Amino acid sequence: MKALLVLSVIALLLFPACVQANPAKPALEVVVLGSGGPRPFGRAGSGFVVVVEGTPRILVDAGPGAFLRVGELDLSLEKVDTVLLTHLHIDHSGDLAAFFNARALTSDGPIVYRIFGPDGEGLFPKTSKFVDLLVGDGGAFAYQKTFGADESLAVRDLPITLNSARTKIVDEGGGLVVEEIATHHGDCPSVAYRISYKGATVVFSGDMDASAVPNLVQLAKNADLLIFNCAVLDPPGSPSQLYELHTPPKKIGEAALESRVKRLLLSHLAPDVEGQEGAVRRSIRASFAGPVEFASDKLRVTIGK
Ligand SMILES: [Zn+2]
């Protein structure tokens, strides 16, 4: 016992940092799981994990490759209880069942998810039906709900018309806040999300065409970081039909300026965008003077102190 005490004292003398309090963790961090879109060229499809004071809490989209990146990053999923889906294209949702699977195997206790995503229209089911088709009773992976841990899911379908009001969907009383607003992504219902914690704020545009810029500007006002999906070059650099789905760099720059965000991270990169980084930067720089970064898989970005 005495020897143990002596050893402890020596350890404290040699490593005084041991007795100092852990340095404060950043309020928010974003880990990029996938910085690509639907084309396979080395980047995973769109996906992010938001880390709140050092603890991964929120999954934003689950594109193909999310499962692999979670493992490569050795991310702890034990406290992930919130899933935000921007829309239900495969490159944003294809790995959702695999993510549930990965999360279930990190936990013995019951898991309660709150899941948000757009209402349905046309070929796209509402998010609650989508989740049901995957893991609900009679769903393709109905076994998942009791595989590894008991899961319960509360799914909320969000309004999808551009005149819908910005809405607060998570409010942990002085802690984490999540807000959303409808966007527009061709014929695919879509929403954008704003996550705030202790004065730090990050906004995810999801995929959206330029008709949704006013809504995004409203949601992103004064955010520390705007993650904007950048899938096309300025016209006429990309196939014309893509402008009905995505916002070109010039308009991304204008949106960043108008919303007064501090930093811009471009994600959901397409091969032609990746190859024209200089032109994309110049186009954005025409309006937005703040830092502009290009995302890569496994990038970790700190937001706030
Ligand atoms: Zn996409």
Side-chain angles (χ1 to χ4, degrees):
M1 190 67 189
K2 200 171 174 184
L4 197 63
L5 190 66
V6 171
L7 278 174
S8 304
V9 170
I10 290 170
L12 289 179
L13 288 171
L14 288 175
F15 305 106
C18 296
V19 291
Q20 291 171 4
N22 285 337
K25 302 243 170 52
L28 287 176
E29 295 164 277
V30 172
V31 179
V32 180
L33 299 180
S35 57
R39 289 177 195 284
F41 67 112
R43 296 175 187 268
S46 191
F48 306 88
V49 166
V50 177
V51 180
V52 181
E53 259 181 352
T55 304
R57 283 285 310 279
I58 303 173
L59 176 71
V60 182
D61 283 346
F67 176 89
L68 179 64
R69 298 291 183 246
V70 162
E72 288 172 339
L73 288 158
D74 199 20
L75 279 178
S76 163
L77 302 181
E78 260 178 284
K79 303 284 184 199
V80 176
D81 59 358
T82 304
V83 177
L84 309 175
L85 298 170
T86 63
H87 63 294
L88 300 181
H89 275 153
I90 295 167
D91 58 317
H92 297 254
S93 61
D95 254 10
L96 187 60
F99 183 88
F100 288 152
N101 205 178
R103 165 77 176 89
L105 295 174
T106 67
S107 180
D108 291 331
I111 300 170
V112 181
Y113 283 115
R114 49 190 174 189
I115 301 173
F116 301 89
D119 202 353
E121 191 175 63
L123 289 175
F124 298 91
K126 56 187 178 183
T127 301
S128 53
K129 184 173 182 201
F130 175 77
V131 171
D132 233 31
L133 288 167
L134 282 180
V135 295
D137 298 338
F141 308 117
Y143 80 95
Q144 166 58 31
K145 271 189 171 172
T146 53
F147 186 82
D150 281 333
E151 282 172 12
S152 57
L153 312 148
V155 188
R156 182 162 154 196
D157 302 317
L158 302 172
I160 54 173
T161 51
L162 277 176
N163 60 4
S164 314
R166 168 179 170 173
T167 307
K168 194 181 282 187
I169 51 174
V170 172
D171 187 351
E172 296 186 346
L176 190 65
V177 171
V178 182
E179 294 162 275
E180 62 82 33
I181 200 163
T183 60
H184 194 266
H185 182 40
D187 64 344
C188 180
S190 58
V191 292
Y193 295 100
R194 176 185 178 108
I195 300 171
S196 311
Y197 183 76
K198 290 192 174 172
T201 301
V202 57
V203 172
F204 295 85
S205 74
D207 290 4
M208 51 169 264
D209 59 66
S211 71
V213 164
N215 275 19
L216 186 78
V217 165
Q218 190 198 132
L219 186 72
K221 271 279 184 282
N222 300 313
D224 296 294
L225 178 67
L226 171 58
I227 302 179
F228 213 123
N229 288 2
C230 184
V232 290
L233 298 166
D234 284 324
S238 296
S240 60
Q241 67 274 19
L242 290 184
Y243 297 112
E244 288 166 23
L245 294 164
H246 295 288
T247 306
K250 184 168 176 291
K251 291 197 181 294
I252 291 176
E254 290 168 4
L257 172 71
E258 208 184 324
S259 56
R260 300 186 174 195
V261 298
K262 296 190 182 72
R263 293 160 67 194
L264 198 50
L265 180 67
L266 304 177
S267 196
H268 195 286
L269 303 171
D272 52 351
V273 171
E274 185 184 63
Q276 295 281 327
E277 190 176 323
V280 171
R281 282 184 187 282
R282 280 192 296 281
S283 186
I284 288 173
R285 185 68 62 222
S287 0
F288 180 64
V292 179
E293 292 169 77
F294 282 67
S296 53
D297 291 15
K298 300 194 269 186
L299 178 73
R300 193 172 182 123
V301 184
T302 299
I303 299 136
K305 296 133 278 229

